Each structure stands twice: as C-alpha cells, then as structure tokens.
Amino acid sequence: MIRTRFAPSPTGYLHIGGARTALFSWAYARHHGGQFILRIEDTDLERSTPEAVAAILDGMRWLGLDPDEGPFYQTRRMDRYKAVIQEMLAAGTAYRCYMSPEELNALRDRQRARGEKPRYDGSWRPEPGKTLPEPPSGVASAIRFKNPRDGVVAWNDLVKGTIEFANGELDDLVIARADGTPTYNFCVVVDDWDMGITQVIRGDDHVNNTPRQINILRALGATPPQYAHLSMINGPDGLKFSKRHGAVSVMQYDDDGFLPEAVINYLARLGWAHGDDEIFSREQFVQWFDLTRVTPSAAQFNTEKLRWLNQHYMKALPAADLAARIAPRLVALGANLADGPDLAQAVALYVDRVNTLKALAEALLVFYADVRPAPELVRQYLDDEARPALADFTQKLADVPWNAAAIGALLKETLEARQLRMPRLAMPLRVLLTGQTKTPSVDVLIALMGRARARQRIQAAN
C-alpha cells in the first residue's frame, strides 16, 4: 500500500511551501488509494512551540488535508530512537565519538585554511587494526553513524531523476548528541521505517539529507522509500518566496478572505500541471495527480492570479453558501445582520465587484451598520445644483413602489425635471448611502438597502 507523510517542524507557522508539500503528499496517497500520515518533527526543543503545532494543525484542517494516521510526535518516540541506536552500536554500524565541539570547530578551521571541505575526520571511528584513544574521563560521547567509505549512494528521484553522491563525500553523521538526544536525520529514518512510508515527498532543500538517510536505512536492513524532491517556490522577482513577497501563514490567507478551495487549486498548479487546465475541483486534482507531471524547475507565486482564482470560486458558490461564510466576518466588523436586507441578496449584488471574502464583508457593511461619509466627499459631490434634485427625489421616494425598476424610473424622472445628467444625482446618492464613490447600480442599491434606511441617510445631508 502507498503510504506518504507530511512531517513539518513546529518552529513556525505552516507556510505556502509546506502546504504545497502536504497537498502533493496527500493527493498522491489519495490518487493511489493509499494512506497519508501526519508527523510533527518536534525534536528541536528550543525552537518548537505548542503555538506552532496548533498553527500547523489549523492550517491542515482549513485546507481539508485530513490524515489517515497521526499526528505523531517525535518527542513521544524517544525511547524507540534510543533503542535503535543501541542496536546499531551493538551491530557496529554506529560508534561513540568523544570529540568535543571545540575540537571539531578547530578541525574544521584547519581544513578550511588548507582549502578543504570541513568535515569530521573519523578520529573515533573504529577500523580493523586501528587503535582508538582512551575515552576522556567524565566526557559524554556523541553517537555517529558509520557511513560507508566507498562506492556511491544513488536513487531515482520521482521528480528530479537519478541523483547520486559519492560516499567518500559524506562524513559520519551524528545520530545522537552527547546529551543523548537523537538528531533530526536519524529520527526521520526511524520514523519512515516504522511507519512504512513508501514515498517521501518533500522540498528539494532535503536533497543533501537523502543519501545519509538511505545509508542509515540500509544499515538497519530496511528498504528505503522512493523520494520525490519538489522544487522551490519563487516570488515574482525570481527569488525564493519569502516574507518580502507576502509569504505568510496559511491561516493568514483565511484571515485575508481567501477560500480554501481556491488556495488548494492554486497550490496544485505550483509546479504541477494537467494540460492547460487552470481551474479544477479537489476531486479532479486527486484523479489527475501524479508525480510524473511535477516539474523539477522552480514555481512562481503570483498573488494576483490567486485573487483571480478566489473570485472565480466565490462567484461559483450559491449565494446562500457564500452568505454563510461571510456572516461571521460581518459580525466581527460590528454588523447587525438582523437590521438589514437578506444577506444572500446583498452578497449576490456585490460578489462580482470583489475578489476576497474580506473585501466582500467590508463592502456589505454599509447595509448593516452606520455609515458616515467623509465630509470632503459630500462637499465634492453634493453641490448647490445637485441638492434640490436630491430633495425632490427623496420626497417622492417615500411613496414609490419599492423595487429597483420603480426607483430607477423615479431617478430618471427627477433628472429630466432638473435637466441634469445621471452622475449629478447618482454620485451624491452613492456617497450618502455608502460613503463610497463606486457601487452597484444606484436603483438596485437603494432597493436592497430598504426605504427607511435609504431615506434616513439621504436626508442626513440636508
């Protein structure tokens, strides 16, 4: 059975790159009828926080990337890692190293001075015929993996193709620190082995870890999984996507009013394609997804394209569904939803004009909360020529049948009587009713706002 995993470190929020890795791992398992495992790699005790764990789990739930197993936490598996290390010491595939951090730094400085690659020199590595120094008294040892010295370690990367490293370029990795704490690369190996992971899908910043992990797995008598390393995500300037491009927590996209459906669709197209298809459902993505369609070249993040996709998904939602999603945002802005028009009707009126839920909520607030137009806007559009026409219109508005057609007819009648063009009355009405200069058609806006509220806001200017 196909078994993939997403294994974030809780040292920060779930970012876009991590979310894409999670999505591809999830989709690969779903496409092949396999299982998707969530693992929290929290062995970095100084930097891992409960808040970061919560942010990761919140982001996964919001995106709908439900695991079949987990979350598993590495900090709860320490006994297992230490037991495997003892087995490796007994088998001779690991050994104790008493080189202090100061000695190791001095060694690396000498190597750099000679123009060599800085690396551990194997001082404590046991070899046939080699006499090791006496362990220093009172000094705790680190544990190093006895990496093969000869040959190469190679794998067929499911995204990048064949990759190989000479074992002579790999030094003996520390798998447990002097305080007994297992290291990241070792814990990953034991986890993937114990959890039966068949495909490891992760960012290409892990390529250099892979040969070490393969060698440890083979030393344990385990079959390495297949590896797929995803290319990085760049910003519009071609540099690695970061905070300067707006790279934020996945949950920030929720705060900013993006739909998870749109974010999933957009993430799917970052480095993967199905022909020219740009818009597709989660179900279609799972049906189509395969790693053979993932490009090894860097993807580029484009916020404007994400906004375009988000608007598409907003417009595709039934008005009632979109209203249900927007209601909590309006309440958070201070709206009284009981004192205003049907929310679904208001949503339908404005959805073509915005591209995020946040912008939609801010636009709809005019129907459910007090509006105080800026005095300078009122002075700009409500002049001595427009004021009498506005008074005529407001007076007759009390008795007109309350629908957009009748209100539109009254608007034209008033303008003809005063020999004015439409903007001379429509613009002051927009400002007085909403505090804005750009709105849907004024007759439709007034009809939806309601007779009492519309007349009250217009009369407040007189």
Side-chain angles (χ1 to χ4, degrees):
M1 173 174 291
I2 296 294
R3 286 173 62 84
T4 66
R5 49 80 159 178
F6 177 54
S9 298
T11 55
Y13 49 71
L14 177 62
H15 54 77
I16 283 294
R20 182 190 62 168
T21 298
L23 173 63
F24 283 15
S25 299
W26 174 87
Y28 190 83
R30 293 288 176 268
H31 176 82
H32 291 282
Q35 295 177 324
F36 172 63
I37 290 84
L38 176 60
R39 189 170 77 219
I40 306 297
E41 298 186 339
D42 55 350
T43 53
D44 187 342
L45 300 179
E46 291 184 1
R47 299 175 60 216
S48 298
T49 66
E51 293 77 14
V53 172
I56 290 169
L57 298 181
D58 287 345
M60 295 288 286
R61 277 191 293 267
W62 184 68
L63 292 171
L65 302 180
D66 49 310
D68 299 291
E69 297 177 16
F72 298 106
Y73 296 85
Q74 287 186 331
T75 50
R76 301 176 189 176
R77 289 174 45 80
M78 288 297 169
D79 289 346
R80 171 59 177 159
Y81 306 138
K82 292 176 181 179
V84 175
I85 287 172
Q86 291 304 313
E87 293 170 6
M88 294 178 69
L89 285 170
T93 55
Y95 61 93
R96 297 188 180 278
C97 174
Y98 294 91
M99 181 175 284
S100 69
E102 294 76 18
E103 290 173 323
L104 183 59
N105 288 334
L107 169 65
R108 288 170 174 168
D109 288 343
R110 293 193 299 272
Q111 291 168 331
R112 291 190 188 97
R114 295 193 297 265
E116 299 172 359
K117 178 180 178 180
R119 51 186 293 161
Y120 175 65
D121 63 359
S123 298
W124 290 91
R125 177 181 171 120
E127 299 284 7
K130 178 180 179 180
T131 302
L132 296 175
E134 281 293 320
S137 177
V139 176
S141 69
I143 309 295
R144 288 185 180 271
F145 170 60
K146 194 176 183 181
N147 194 78
R149 285 276 177 87
D150 302 319
V152 299
V153 54
W155 72 95
N156 179 32
D157 196 279
L158 297 178
V159 171
K160 294 180 175 296
T162 300
I163 301 176
E164 67 176 43
F165 286 76
N167 278 319
E169 292 296 312
L170 307 174
D171 58 4
D172 290 351
L173 179 73
V174 172
I175 59 176
R177 303 176 185 90
D179 64 2
T181 307
T183 59
Y184 164 79
N185 271 302
F186 180 72
C187 296
V188 168
V189 166
V190 177
D191 289 341
D192 287 343
W193 181 31
D194 286 353
M195 296 176 188
I197 302 303
T198 57
Q199 282 79 25
V200 171
I201 301 169
R202 58 188 180 187
D204 62 5
D205 53 332
H206 288 282
V207 166
N208 288 336
N209 293 330
T210 303
R212 303 177 187 276
Q213 294 173 8
I214 289 175
N215 280 341
I216 296 173
L217 282 163
R218 287 174 175 163
L220 292 170
T223 300
Q226 293 180 297
Y227 292 90
H229 289 94
L230 308 176
S231 61
M232 70 173 61
I233 299 173
N234 290 337
D237 56 3
L239 301 177
K240 184 177 179 180
F241 193 54
S242 64
K243 289 182 179 179
R244 70 178 176 275
H245 301 113
V248 291
S249 163
V250 164
M251 295 310 295
Q252 184 64 49
Y253 289 94
D254 178 31
D255 293 343
D256 289 345
F258 290 92
L259 296 171
E261 300 97 312
V263 174
I264 286 287
N265 192 154
Y266 186 72
L267 288 176
R269 289 287 285 112
L270 288 177
W272 172 88
H274 183 267
D276 294 328
D277 293 296
E278 291 284 352
I279 299 173
F280 41 81
S281 68
R282 181 186 302 253
E283 292 73 23
Q284 285 175 312
F285 176 55
V286 168
Q287 180 183 351
W288 294 338
F289 184 75
D290 198 78
L291 290 168
T292 58
R293 297 179 182 271
V294 176
T295 175
S297 57
Q300 189 169 78
F301 194 92
N302 185 321
T303 302
E304 290 309 308
K305 186 171 182 180
L306 174 58
R307 289 182 178 276
W308 170 78
L309 259 181
N310 199 60
Q311 186 180 51
H312 167 84
Y313 277 92
M314 288 173 62
K315 291 165 66 173
L317 281 175
D321 291 353
L322 188 55
R325 299 200 195 195
I326 207 74
R329 294 176 181 270
L330 277 165
V331 171
L333 291 173
N336 178 5
L337 298 183
D339 182 22
D342 177 74
L343 184 54
Q345 292 183 32
V347 161
L349 180 61
Y350 268 85
V351 68
D352 287 342
R353 309 179 67 85
V354 295
N355 54 28
T356 67
L357 297 180
K358 181 179 180 181
L360 180 57
E362 291 169 350
L364 295 184
L365 193 60
V366 298
F367 294 108
Y368 306 98
D370 291 337
V371 169
R372 300 182 185 278
E376 58 270 20
L377 272 182
V378 175
R379 288 193 297 270
Q380 179 180 350
Y381 291 104
L382 186 57
D383 55 21
D384 291 340
E385 186 179 45
R387 196 176 293 276
L390 184 67
D392 291 348
F393 177 76
T394 308
Q395 180 180 3
K396 295 178 181 179
L397 198 61
D399 302 316
V400 72
W402 204 255
N403 58 70
I407 294 169
L410 175 60
L411 192 61
K412 291 178 182 178
E413 176 186 319
T414 305
L415 290 168
E416 290 173 1
R418 294 283 178 175
Q419 296 186 331
L420 298 175
R421 296 176 66 84
M422 179 63 76
R424 301 295 293 121
L425 187 52
M427 289 306 296
L429 283 170
R430 285 191 171 95
V431 169
L432 295 174
L433 292 170
T434 69
Q436 303 163 7
T437 58
K438 295 181 179 180
T439 71
S441 177
V442 172
D443 50 0
V444 178
L445 179 72
I446 294 174
L448 184 60
M449 186 164 288
R451 194 188 305 267
R453 175 167 274 146
R455 295 188 73 235
Q456 177 187 13
R457 289 185 179 178
I458 296 170
Q459 289 172 336
N462 295 321

